[in-house]
Amino acid sequence: MNTALARLIAGQICIHACMAGMRLAAPLLALREGYSAAAVGILLALFALTQVFLALPAGRYADRHGLKRPVGYAVVVAVVGAAGALVWPVFPMLCLAALMTGGATGAATIALQRHVGRAAHDSTQLRQVFSWLAIGPAVSNFVGPFCAGMLIDHAGPTAGSTEGYRAAFALMAVLPIATWFWVRATVELPPVIAAAGGVRPRAWDLLTEPGFRRLLIVNWLLSSCWDVHTFVVPLLGHERGLSASVIGTILGAFAIAAAVIRVLMPLVAAHLREAVVVTWAMVTTAVLFAVYPLLPNPWALGLCSVLLGFALGSVQPMIMSMLHQITPSHRHGEALGLRLMAINGSSVLMPVLFGSAGALIGVAGLFWVVGAVVGGGSRLAARLGDGDAHSAVPH
């Protein structure tokens, strides 16, 4: 991993940690204030709502303007959102902060992924660089929740006080500023110009490619697993009387495991096949979801969280590698935008559905239903790559 890529990963960690920390602190504050699980589900859904509407425009904007301008705007929006929660820690402001930090992180992620993918020279290097880049969200999913949980418990006069929450929101507001520090020195790549003449393609035309459709479906299924874990662990911990620090640590253990597997993957990238890795991850996730709600204590939950992190952490580099192989280079931003829109459209609806379903079938039911669906989807994952790289428009 070279210095330029390391700086981009550091920048991604900072802005993503802002959103990850907000996703822990905001729901816990809402629960403390007496809001229901359904309200918390809506709050969590808002972190993805902006990305649903901005993903395609953000992708096209990145195709036109490269890396630094989209990231710069994203940093400003994220800082304003987290600072708003610091000044007004009330439910409406938490909702607005969720919209702003979620949207900013999505736009920055598209620009970063597009830049890194364009800099790669072959499929092996694509797997390597996306494995390195995928370490960023894994690390930030530990840093954000862990730091937020520690501040909530220890920064105020008592654990869970408003002062503790304000301290957590203050740190989240500072983190995106560091993103600009890391990204601002990056050298922009030359723009890719589409062939002249003909009808301008629409983003939705990418969905006519069978490989791209399969990729989106598999990515959506696995993203739903991530959403289930993020949504249910705070609820499960709250029901069992676990502290914010313990809940944050369980989520952090998942993030560390995802980071570890992504550190190892570049070392063996030449020996990996995308379809095999994704299929293995789906089968493993289905098994872990079957046992997760039956575990008796935080140590067991943490161990299962680690194993789940290994499985789900291996997926994104493979998905991103395939996406860049089956889409034309001048439309990578659009393809990334469609992918982000699909998984975040799910993230908008799923927490609301989880909150409602949780009241009917309980936490265990949520794990078992989603696990069964993901296990069934593993057959679709096994078909990824069946001639897909040759069906895409030439680069």
Side-chain angles (χ1 to χ4, degrees):
M1 180 170 57
N2 57 40
T3 303
L5 180 58
R7 293 178 67 89
L8 293 178
I9 292 171
Q12 185 185 31
I13 288 172
C14 292
I15 196 165
H16 197 278
C18 167
M19 183 185 72
M22 293 293 294
R23 286 189 64 159
L24 175 77
L28 288 178
L29 180 56
L31 289 169
R32 192 201 73 173
E33 296 299 312
Y35 287 90
S36 66
V40 172
I42 293 172
L43 174 59
L44 282 171
L46 295 178
F47 282 95
L49 181 62
T50 316
Q51 298 183 43
V52 174
F53 297 103
L54 290 184
L56 269 179
R60 290 173 179 146
Y61 192 80
D63 281 335
R64 293 195 304 269
H65 299 289
L67 173 69
K68 288 189 280 189
R69 190 182 295 184
V71 171
Y73 287 136
V75 165
V76 172
V77 173
V79 170
V80 172
L86 163 65
V87 178
W88 299 289
V90 295
F91 190 77
M93 187 64 232
L94 295 178
C95 293
L96 181 59
L99 289 168
M100 296 180 74
T101 56
T105 302
T109 297
I110 289 173
L112 286 163
Q113 290 172 341
R114 177 186 176 276
H115 181 89
V116 169
R118 284 197 57 216
H121 301 298
D122 54 43
S123 61
T124 298
Q125 194 172 36
L126 275 172
R127 290 192 290 270
Q128 289 175 330
V129 296
F130 279 117
S131 294
W132 287 122
L133 188 65
I135 294 170
V139 172
S140 61
N141 279 331
F142 170 76
V143 172
F146 179 78
C147 291
M150 293 296 290
L151 288 171
I152 290 167
D153 281 346
H154 302 293
T158 59
S161 65
T162 300
E163 289 79 3
Y165 282 100
R166 286 183 184 273
F169 294 142
L171 176 62
M172 298 307 112
V174 171
L175 283 172
I177 299 174
T179 295
W180 183 246
F181 169 80
W182 292 113
V183 172
R184 62 188 175 87
T186 302
V187 177
E188 293 278 11
L189 297 173
V192 179
I193 308 299
V199 179
R200 179 184 176 185
R202 298 175 301 172
W204 303 108
D205 294 339
L206 291 170
L207 296 176
T208 62
E209 294 293 337
F212 190 75
R213 287 200 307 271
R214 283 197 293 269
L215 199 65
L216 284 187
I217 293 170
V218 169
N219 202 174
W220 171 75
L221 288 172
L222 290 163
S223 176
S224 296
C225 295
W226 205 294
D227 290 337
V228 168
H229 189 256
T230 302
F231 176 77
V232 171
V233 167
L235 288 179
L236 189 63
H238 184 71
E239 288 179 0
R240 297 186 180 185
L242 303 181
S243 69
S245 297
V246 172
I247 296 170
T249 301
I250 292 172
L251 291 173
F254 172 87
I256 290 176
V260 169
I261 195 67
R262 289 169 178 178
V263 168
L264 297 176
M265 288 176 72
L267 306 179
V268 294
H271 306 288
L272 298 176
R273 288 184 58 230
E274 289 91 342
V276 173
V277 173
V278 174
T279 303
W280 169 87
M282 296 184 81
V283 172
T284 303
T285 298
V287 173
L288 292 173
F289 269 28
V291 302
Y292 206 116
L294 306 177
L295 300 176
N297 57 57
W299 290 103
L301 291 172
L303 176 60
C304 196
S305 186
V306 167
L307 296 176
L308 191 62
F310 286 145
L312 293 179
S314 66
V315 170
Q316 182 175 326
M318 301 298 102
I319 295 289
M320 299 304 300
S321 173
M322 292 201 69
L323 183 145
H324 278 76
Q325 292 178 60
I326 65 178
T327 56
S329 57
H330 67 279
R331 303 187 69 187
H332 281 169
E334 281 185 304
L336 290 166
L338 272 176
R339 170 188 170 270
L340 196 65
M341 185 173 67
I343 63 177
N344 282 287
S346 170
S347 293
V348 170
L349 298 176
M350 287 301 176
V352 179
L353 178 62
F354 297 156
S356 301
L360 296 175
I361 62 176
V363 170
L366 281 176
F367 273 118
W368 293 335
V369 169
V370 176
V373 173
V374 170
S378 61
R379 295 183 62 184
L380 189 64
R383 297 178 57 200
L384 289 174
D386 291 349
D388 296 338
H390 304 290
S391 65
V393 179
H395 289 31

